[in-house]
Amino acid sequence: MELNDFPPELVHQAMQNASPDEKFHLQTIFDELNKRERRQRCQNDFLEYVKSQWPDFISGAHHRRIARLFEDIAAGRKKRVIINLGPRHTKSEFASFHLPSWFMGKFPKKKVLEVSNTAELAEGFGRKVRNQLDTPEYAEIFPDVSLRADSKAAGRWNTNKGGEYYATGVNAPLAGRGADLAIIRSEEHT
């Protein structure tokens, strides 16, 4: 049941007629319902998730299109996506940082592979994703997902549910490495 399931006039009337103890109890229930509703929205809507983790984020039309693509990937409706935008359009923040953290929250048993032109760049994003999983804001959205205590290297770590994140450069050997989500960054400099 969500807070929106209650007619506003009924909620208002209940609050007006309640004793102070009942008001406190009702407010606690409404707060919990709102929290659960927000959590559900963020778990299912990529842009809502990004906004929960990046409060200063300003959304544009291209962000909404990318978010829909990522939601399609998570739902299994798309297998391959190429994002080609100019610099400073949040490609890296979305694809190499927020997508892996959101995906691992939704699917904490799956494997994510991040490949970039250098291992240093891939591991840098791995560090950001790993650190994100360790924040209170992340725990608010995905309360059952965390880092496995004995696995916290920047480019290679696991979730408490058995999921795996592996970051590497393009020249590293990848034989035997499978992935449920593979992010391959191609940086071309002119």
Side-chain angles (χ1 to χ4, degrees):
M1 178 171 278
E2 296 179 359
L3 186 56
N4 291 338
D5 294 339
F6 297 100
E9 58 277 355
L10 184 62
V11 172
H12 182 70
Q13 182 182 14
M15 289 297 277
Q16 279 193 330
N17 296 332
S19 69
D21 284 345
E22 290 170 329
K23 284 180 183 179
F24 178 79
H25 185 66
L26 285 170
Q27 189 60 54
T28 303
I29 291 170
F30 293 147
D31 290 346
E32 181 61 26
L33 286 171
N34 282 328
K35 181 178 169 183
R36 289 180 187 190
E37 184 180 309
R38 178 177 180 265
R39 178 181 299 145
Q40 189 69 37
R41 257 191 341 268
C42 292
Q43 288 177 356
N44 295 321
D45 184 313
F46 180 75
L47 267 186
E48 287 297 318
Y49 168 73
V50 170
K51 292 173 188 175
S52 77
Q53 305 301 298
W54 185 3
D56 296 333
F57 172 71
I58 300 170
S59 180
H62 67 290
H63 297 117
R64 289 187 290 281
R65 289 186 70 193
I66 293 169
R68 282 193 299 272
L69 289 172
F70 290 168
E71 290 163 6
D72 285 345
I73 290 169
R77 294 186 293 267
K78 292 207 183 296
K79 298 289 182 197
R80 292 179 183 89
V81 172
I82 295 175
I83 299 172
N84 188 10
L85 290 168
R88 317 292 350 138
H89 281 79
T90 63
K91 293 182 305 289
S92 297
E93 285 297 307
F94 266 38
S96 295
F97 174 42
H98 291 294
L99 175 60
S101 65
W102 180 69
F103 187 86
M104 294 196 92
K106 289 178 72 64
F107 310 109
K109 295 179 182 179
K110 294 200 175 192
K111 295 179 180 185
V112 174
L113 172 66
E114 175 117 17
V115 180
S116 192
N117 58 328
T118 68
E120 181 181 357
L121 184 59
E123 287 177 7
F125 280 110
R127 184 175 293 107
K128 283 182 75 170
V129 176
R130 179 202 64 197
N131 292 348
Q132 185 66 29
L133 267 67
D134 217 14
T135 65
E137 294 82 8
Y138 189 84
E140 193 173 303
I141 304 306
F142 297 108
D144 297 330
V145 180
S146 62
L147 296 171
R148 198 171 80 193
D150 65 344
S151 176
K152 294 189 178 183
R156 295 183 181 122
W157 46 265
N158 300 85
T159 68
N160 62 326
K161 305 289 185 188
E164 179 182 305
Y165 180 95
Y166 186 80
T168 189
V170 292
N171 293 327
L174 290 174
R177 291 266 172 212
D180 298 293
L181 174 66
I183 301 161
I184 302 170
R185 296 172 43 86
S186 173
E187 301 286 330
E188 186 174 316
H189 301 284
T190 55

